[in-house]
Amino acid sequence: MSRVRLSVAERREELLRAAVGQIEVRGVTAVRIADVASVLGVSNALVLYHFSTKEKLVAEAFTYAAEDDLAHLRKLLGRRTTALRRLRAAVRWYAPTGQAKGWRLWIEGWAAALREPALREVTRDLDRRWKAAITEVITEGVAAGEFQCPDPATAALRLTALLDGLAVQTTAYEGAVSRTRTLEWADEALARELGLKREELTATRG
């Protein structure tokens, strides 16, 4: 039975989805071009035609996996409400108890990035974009007088570093940190960075 003929863009997207799935199952180091090709019933040559090397395929697969989450983050942070409400929604969504990212995929990516320059550049850029989005809204909140934060960029770094670390704990060691405790720590960290009491995060403001 012949396969449906896809456009170049559709074929690339199909290959990237398959690559993400195989990375989640096998890990970055173990996954092969042949694994991605086999899932789709295509030749290794077709995969290599579109991406030329495994390293390029993996790097683009990580970018592809992140774009939906980045789009959702922008949607959360772009809502017409206070900066404080937007930040809390984003932090709780980003936390390992929320809906953001397949954390196993990203932990694999961070580990592989230590040895693969192309992947390191991709993960660094994605990380920068997350922090920049958080920094921007913290800056908006300071300008609006909602809270105080002398260094929004550093605050964004500390917040995401905490959540990334919690993600490693909860992914690698099931049950190490409960969902309730994770969200409590996320709220406490956000309040601390903004010079607020924790209960002020849910107070009606403007």
Side-chain angles (χ1 to χ4, degrees):
M1 184 174 179
S2 61
R3 288 176 54 82
V4 175
R5 187 174 182 82
L6 302 177
S7 68
V8 171
E10 289 171 334
R11 178 67 74 192
R12 285 177 63 85
E13 183 173 357
E14 180 185 58
L15 292 168
L16 290 171
R17 282 199 306 268
V20 169
Q22 289 299 299
I23 291 167
E24 289 177 332
V25 171
R26 302 173 186 274
V28 173
T29 303
V31 74
R32 304 170 303 164
I33 290 290
D35 298 321
V36 176
S38 178
V39 166
L40 297 175
V42 300
S43 66
N44 292 1
L46 178 65
V47 180
L48 291 169
Y49 171 79
H50 286 280
F51 297 100
S52 74
T53 66
K54 171 192 162 178
E55 289 72 25
K56 289 183 179 179
L57 173 61
V58 167
E60 291 201 40
F62 271 86
T63 301
Y64 175 80
E67 287 302 330
D68 281 347
D69 279 343
L70 285 164
H72 189 74
L73 178 69
R74 287 191 293 270
K75 183 177 179 180
L76 286 174
L77 296 180
R79 288 176 174 172
R80 299 182 64 180
T81 186
T82 63
L84 180 59
R85 286 179 176 173
R86 286 179 280 152
L87 281 168
R88 186 169 188 256
V91 166
R92 290 170 74 87
W93 176 73
Y94 182 93
T97 60
Q99 299 301 312
K101 313 185 178 181
W103 281 106
R104 185 175 299 278
L105 175 71
W106 286 100
I107 292 167
E108 283 278 355
W110 292 332
L114 295 173
R115 299 176 298 278
E116 298 182 18
L119 186 55
R120 182 162 59 249
E121 288 303 311
V122 167
T123 55
R124 177 184 293 159
D125 178 64
L126 295 169
D127 184 68
R128 179 192 60 77
R129 290 165 66 187
W130 277 92
K131 289 179 173 63
I134 297 294
T135 299
E136 181 178 350
V137 180
I138 293 176
T139 302
E140 288 178 19
V142 171
E146 293 184 38
F147 43 74
Q148 297 180 354
C149 181
D151 189 345
T154 299
L157 190 156
R158 282 193 292 260
L159 283 168
T160 53
L162 170 67
L163 297 175
D164 290 346
L166 287 171
V168 172
Q169 287 290 311
T170 57
T171 302
Y173 310 114
E174 186 175 355
V177 185
S178 70
R179 173 186 172 83
T180 299
R181 182 62 59 85
T182 297
L183 292 176
E184 285 176 355
W185 287 349
D187 277 351
E188 288 169 1
L190 179 60
R192 185 166 54 250
E193 294 294 349
L194 304 182
L196 301 173
K197 295 179 180 178
R198 185 182 165 195
E199 55 268 25
E200 292 182 88
L201 294 181
T202 54
T204 302
R205 303 172 72 91

